[in-house]
């Protein structure tokens, strides 16, 4: 479990770096704000994961999170300087979707109960982020169509 936490912290730090680098590239003000918020969230995840080291896994309640599956039907976007808010949302949703799927697969691959629980928690975190982005996408982008 300690090794999983270490790897998860590294993944969250990498996600923070991706979003921080995106801040330097993207010009659209709305997209910049969203990316800045995502970068801050990733740092929050690092802190939360580090708390798991001392507080343990049992302190985390598992809640049912709905997967809206909006990102399943969207084409992944590469990070570019001319990304608008829709492109940034798609980029972020796809990142969260991949992270969610990674942790789900890891939960299936391990036998140790604590490791399985940790991967389930991490998968739930990523699905929660994806859900939030998809709701925002639905409210902003679909409303415009």
């Amino acid at each position: 479990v300690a090794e999983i936490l270490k790897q998860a912290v590294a993944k969250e730090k990498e996600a923070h770096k991706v979003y921080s680098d995106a801040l330097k590239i993207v010009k659209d003000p709305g997209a910049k704000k969203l990316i800045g918020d995502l970068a801050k969230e990733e740092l929050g995840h690092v802190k939360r994961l580090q708390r798991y080291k001392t507080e343990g896994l049992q302190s985390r309640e598992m809640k049912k999170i709905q997967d809206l599956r909006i990102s399943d039907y969207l084409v992944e976007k590469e990070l570019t300087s001319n990304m608008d808010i829709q492109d940034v949302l798609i980029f972020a949703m796809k990142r969260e979707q991949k992270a969610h799927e990674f942790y789900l697969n890891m939960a299936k691959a391990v036998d140790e109960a604590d490791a399985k629980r940790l991967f389930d928690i991490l998968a739930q975190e990523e699905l929660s982020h994806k859900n939030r982005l998809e709701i925002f996408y639905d409210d902003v982008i679909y409303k415009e169509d």
Side-chain angles (χ1 to χ4, degrees):
V1 172
E3 183 58 31
I4 293 167
L5 281 169
K6 182 179 170 183
Q7 299 271 338
V9 165
K11 279 185 81 63
E12 297 298 334
K13 285 181 178 179
E14 176 195 343
H16 175 262
K17 182 176 177 357
V18 167
Y19 291 132
S20 295
D21 290 347
L23 274 174
K24 300 170 192 167
I25 296 171
V26 174
K27 308 247 183 296
D28 181 84
K32 259 184 140 33
K33 166 99 173 76
L34 176 63
I35 291 172
D37 290 348
L38 291 169
K40 287 177 192 169
E41 265 191 31
E42 297 302 342
L43 282 182
H45 303 158
V46 169
K47 289 177 185 173
R48 188 174 305 131
L49 286 167
Q50 290 169 336
R51 275 198 317 268
Y52 287 144
K53 290 179 185 179
T54 55
E55 296 174 8
L57 303 175
Q58 304 309 318
S59 64
R60 172 65 191 226
E61 182 183 327
M62 298 291 284
K63 296 178 182 173
K64 179 74 174 149
I65 298 167
Q66 183 179 6
D67 188 351
L68 301 179
R69 307 198 78 77
I70 291 172
S71 63
D72 292 0
Y73 304 99
L74 300 171
V75 177
E76 189 167 356
K77 302 283 185 171
E78 291 297 318
L79 193 59
T80 64
S81 62
N82 62 344
M83 289 182 107
D84 60 14
I85 190 76
Q86 181 175 10
D87 293 337
V88 169
L89 283 166
I90 292 170
F91 173 80
M93 285 187 291
K94 288 294 191 176
R95 280 192 61 80
E96 300 298 337
Q97 180 179 3
K98 285 179 184 175
H100 171 69
E101 290 167 357
F102 170 79
Y103 289 129
L104 278 181
N105 290 330
M106 293 302 292
K108 292 175 188 171
V110 297
D111 293 325
E112 184 187 346
D114 280 347
K116 188 176 286 297
R117 178 159 170 73
L118 178 56
F119 282 130
D120 285 338
I121 288 168
L122 293 169
Q124 183 186 46
E125 285 281 325
E126 301 302 338
L127 183 59
S128 173
H129 308 152
K130 179 178 173 279
N131 176 272
R132 199 178 108 225
L133 289 165
E134 287 182 332
I135 288 170
F136 186 75
Y137 187 92
D138 186 54
D139 291 346
V140 173
I141 304 304
Y142 285 156
K143 186 177 276 187
E144 290 178 4
D145 288 344

